[in-house]
Amino acid sequence: MILRLLLLLVVIAVIEIYSFQAFKTITQTKWILSAYKWLSVILVIFIIYQITKFDRRVGQTAQTLFTLGLLLLVLLPKIVLTLILLAEDVYRLLFGSISYFVSEQKPSDFLPERRKFISQLAMGVAAIPFMGLVYGMTKGKYNYKVIRQTLFFPDLPEAFEGFTITQISDVHSGSFDNPEKIKYAIELINQQKTDMMLFTGDIVNTHAKEMHPWIDVFSKIEGHEFGKYAVLGNHDYGEYVTWPSQAAKDENFKAIKDLYGQIGFRLLLNEHVKIKKGTDELALVGVENWGHNFKQVGDIDKASEHLSAADFKILMSHDPSHWEYIVKKHPKNFQLTLSGHTHGFQFGIEIPGVIKWSPVQYVYKQWAGLYQELGRYIYVNRGFGFHAYPGRVGIWPEISVFELKKGNIVA
């Protein structure tokens, strides 16, 4: 533990030294440089202090959200600076070694002088994540996008041609801090006027009480002709805090399940319902959370009991790893799975048709948007809310809208 702490302090010191070297390229004014050093020290002390004050009995709070946001805001740009200047130092070391040991005329200094334009370039590059994080924390976290998908199925029942569905996921109500923005998002949902509404889990971060200030707002999601349904996400089980007793944890879990009903959603717990339209029907299947690296209580076999491979099925399963490890090869043939969970890491780059990247793609094969394999679809919603980092950069909060059509699956 002590060794890890010492290593962390060394890394922080190296980052701060390199960052200060870059900052000196902007100004040589002593009082500004002194203020920069003192501000850096104060911020490091504040962040470390706040981290040590984290209480596992409470979990995430507005203070922990702010602290993590501040940590990223301070650390990420400085890491960028350090990497660029470190790369230059490697170049200086190699060039200096060659000049000193190979050249006939020895240079006066072993290391060439640091190039000012490299430091200025590093400052300019570091400003990009800094401004991005600031935007993500002030605007991006409520920059709601309605994303529409038309999905084709050869076995779609005739009556469901043109059937529409709205999906939200990962509300994380305990992180909200702007009622007007949430009201606006609910209005966006209502404007879609779809046939059915689905919510794929994580109504809170941990505690049922986090949702209490928002029940009236979410209750304004209008009724849909074919119903409003939900499943649980990993955060709905209260797994990430220390509870005073099992009874307290169980009581919170019951209260969280009740929340879905309080905002007008029917919670599906390893079960299915038949959605009937005319003389046709489809099965809406809802499982509890099943994650490759998270809680595994979802039971797809129980949820799809008495259904056959020929039945048209829409599966709600919070964690997309369930699809990757279990669902996509399941013999009962789940034509469409709707998930969430990843949030798209709340950080990445998405330019439709050009680039789609996020660090979360190295953990989840299906992490945002539509995927098709073995003649089956999964759609991973990017999330309605935010968690841990109090913002979003490049991966915006999403309201998904689907239209089902009869036809060949588009690869």
Side-chain angles (χ1 to χ4, degrees):
M1 183 65 181
I2 295 176
L3 185 60
R4 288 180 182 178
L5 181 59
L6 288 174
L7 180 61
L8 178 61
L9 291 174
V10 168
V11 170
I12 291 173
V14 169
I15 290 172
E16 290 297 339
I17 289 169
Y18 270 105
S19 300
F20 182 68
Q21 290 295 319
F23 191 76
K24 283 173 66 177
T25 64
I26 296 178
T27 180
Q28 294 292 326
T29 306
K30 288 186 177 181
W31 75 265
I32 295 178
L33 294 175
S34 179
Y36 172 84
K37 286 190 286 187
W38 277 109
L39 179 61
S40 296
V41 170
I42 291 170
L43 287 173
V44 168
I45 292 173
F46 174 79
I47 290 169
I48 292 175
Y49 172 75
Q50 289 297 330
I51 291 173
T52 62
K53 294 292 288 182
F54 178 74
D55 189 344
R56 273 194 58 85
R57 295 169 299 178
V58 177
Q60 181 174 284
T61 64
Q63 188 63 52
T64 59
L65 277 168
F66 173 78
T67 300
L68 183 55
L70 184 63
L71 174 63
L72 291 173
L73 199 60
V74 170
L75 192 60
L76 191 57
K78 289 185 176 182
I79 289 175
V80 172
L81 286 172
T82 300
L83 290 175
I84 294 175
L85 295 186
L86 187 59
E88 189 198 15
D89 279 351
V90 171
Y91 167 81
R92 291 169 65 210
L93 180 61
L94 291 173
F95 187 83
S97 298
I98 292 171
S99 299
Y100 189 82
F101 293 108
V102 177
S103 300
E104 294 181 4
Q105 186 175 356
K106 304 295 183 186
S108 57
D109 293 319
F110 178 76
L111 284 178
E113 188 174 322
R114 186 181 296 282
R115 291 168 293 179
K116 184 177 181 179
F117 88 91
I118 294 293
S119 295
Q120 292 173 332
L121 174 65
M123 291 292 290
V125 173
I128 297 173
F130 179 82
M131 296 304 295
L133 289 167
V134 170
Y135 177 83
M137 293 167 65
T138 55
K139 302 290 186 180
K141 61 186 178 182
Y142 295 124
N143 184 20
Y144 293 99
K145 301 297 182 183
V146 177
I147 299 181
R148 304 177 188 280
Q149 295 280 344
T150 301
L151 306 179
F152 292 89
F153 303 91
D155 54 347
L156 181 72
E158 294 287 347
F160 287 89
E161 172 74 18
F163 191 80
T164 53
I165 301 168
T166 298
Q167 179 203 7
I168 60 171
S169 191
D170 300 87
V171 163
H172 290 283
S173 54
S175 301
F176 294 153
D177 57 10
N178 191 323
E180 293 306 312
K181 294 295 185 181
I182 304 305
K183 290 176 183 177
Y184 164 72
I186 300 304
E187 290 172 3
L188 272 182
I189 291 172
N190 289 334
Q191 287 171 17
Q192 306 316 309
K193 304 294 183 184
T194 55
D195 296 312
M196 188 165 63
M197 177 83 203
L198 304 179
F199 179 179
T200 45
D202 278 359
I203 197 169
V204 295
N205 296 329
T206 298
H207 298 94
K209 63 183 180 182
E210 297 165 11
M211 186 63 183
H212 291 169
W214 308 101
I215 288 175
D216 287 344
V217 178
F218 278 81
S219 295
K220 288 183 171 58
I221 295 177
E222 295 173 355
H224 288 59
E225 182 180 355
F226 293 88
K228 295 156 60 179
Y229 298 91
V231 292
L232 296 172
N234 57 302
H235 280 268
D236 293 329
Y237 294 85
E239 295 287 297
Y240 308 116
V241 299
T242 301
W243 294 94
S245 66
Q246 184 62 43
K249 182 179 180 182
D250 293 343
E251 182 181 351
N252 182 70
F253 183 46
K254 181 181 182 303
I256 286 174
K257 288 187 288 186
D258 290 343
L259 287 173
Y260 287 96
Q262 291 175 46
I263 61 171
F265 283 77
R266 175 179 169 181
L267 186 62
L268 299 180
L269 300 169
N270 293 326
E271 58 187 310
H272 70 268
V273 295
K274 294 289 185 68
I275 307 297
K276 298 181 184 296
K277 188 176 183 185
T279 58
D280 290 330
E281 64 181 22
L282 61 75
L284 179 64
V285 184
V287 295
E288 292 194 53
N289 192 76
W290 193 103
H292 183 58
N293 296 310
F294 291 89
K295 194 174 186 71
Q296 297 184 358
V297 287
D299 188 337
I300 193 169
D301 294 320
K302 178 183 176 183
S304 60
E305 192 174 6
H306 305 307
L307 296 177
S308 70
D311 292 317
F312 190 88
K313 295 171 289 297
I314 297 174
L315 172 67
M316 290 193 291
S317 182
H318 176 73
D319 190 320
S321 66
H322 191 204
W323 190 80
E324 176 63 22
Y325 287 93
I326 304 292
V327 175
K328 74 178 182 181
K329 294 182 180 179
H330 197 282
K332 285 194 175 177
N333 183 31
F334 292 86
Q335 290 91 337
L336 172 62
T337 299
L338 300 179
S339 298
H341 180 65
T342 71
H343 303 200
F345 203 64
Q346 298 170 209
F347 181 89
I349 304 171
E350 276 198 278
I351 303 174
V354 179
I355 186 173
K356 178 181 173 183
W357 175 89
S358 168
V360 78
Q361 71 187 54
Y362 305 114
V363 180
Y364 289 91
K365 188 175 178 181
Q366 299 83 27
W367 58 275
L370 184 67
Y371 303 83
Q372 186 270 129
E373 192 173 340
L374 302 174
R376 305 172 188 188
Y377 286 118
I378 180 173
Y379 189 89
V380 185
N381 182 282
R382 294 159 180 81
F384 184 94
F386 51 92
H387 178 66
Y389 165 59
R392 283 178 174 266
V393 180
I395 307 292
W396 312 121
E398 175 180 1
I399 297 163
S400 310
V401 177
F402 307 98
E403 182 179 13
L404 309 186
K405 304 283 284 184
K406 195 171 182 66
N408 294 325
I409 288 179
V410 178

